[in-house]
Amino acid sequence: MKIEFKDNYIYSDLKDILLKKGKKVLRIFYSGNGDLYFDIASNYTYDENNNKIAFLEFDKNDVGYNYFNKLFNDIVNCNVYAKDNLNTDLVIKRANQKLVNNGIIEWYSDSIYDEKANLLKIINTNEVIRLTFVSNREDPCYGFSIRICNSGSKYYPFNISFMNLFNQFQLLANKEKETKKILTK
């Protein structure tokens, strides 16, 4: 797997993350509406409902595996942020019950209600993390795009976990940039 960082078209201090494996490209980016998006460019097949599906797998040797492993474990174990009271704990558990089913994270895009939304499934088995994207023809986002709202997410507060993932990649992009500066001096 290869990772590339591209300038974000709106925010000059942010990078779009491109994770490439063969002909598959996962793009993670922050949009002008203040939301985070995951999108995949890949060959696709069809599921039992005739929806397009595409996937990307990370094994332990792949760039990004540790980041997605942390994301998965934080969501499944409800480690979003320091729980300061019982009410916060209940909100987190309630949201987690909608998000995690039989050890599989199922994030329906925040772009529209679930029945018409694109879906991202995250499965962690046998040291492999699999991201499966399901395109719903009725989702207003183009292709396989998954919208993670930072204001009003149906899975609040777990949108924070995805932003933490994005921020970890931003730190990696900054390290890469600093390394290139040092090497070119």
Side-chain angles (χ1 to χ4, degrees), residues 33-52:
N33 61 10
D35 293 335
L36 187 65
Y37 286 82
F38 281 57
D39 200 2
I40 190 167
S42 172
N43 293 335
Y44 57 86
T45 59
Y46 291 92
D47 68 7
E48 64 279 356
N49 298 317
N50 209 29
N51 292 315
K52 292 179 185 176

Side-chain angles (χ1 to χ4, degrees), residues 70-134:
K70 180 172 179 9
L71 170 75
F72 184 89
N73 288 322
D74 284 351
I75 290 174
V76 168
N77 297 314
C78 297
N79 294 329
V80 180
Y81 45 68
K83 299 171 192 113
D84 55 0
N85 63 43
L86 183 59
N87 290 334
T88 303
D89 222 12
L90 291 173
V91 167
I92 291 172
K93 285 188 168 114
R94 212 171 283 133
N96 188 265
Q97 289 171 348
K98 285 177 30 181
L99 185 56
V100 179
N101 296 306
N102 297 320
I104 298 171
I105 297 168
E106 294 182 339
W107 187 288
Y108 285 91
S109 179
D110 279 329
S111 60
I112 195 167
Y113 53 91
D114 292 357
E115 292 79 21
K116 293 188 175 202
N118 289 342
L119 171 63
L120 170 61
K121 292 182 182 182
I122 305 174
I123 303 167
N124 191 350
T125 58
N126 299 327
E127 301 180 356
V128 172
I129 297 172
R130 182 182 180 120
L131 307 179
T132 301
F133 292 79
V134 181

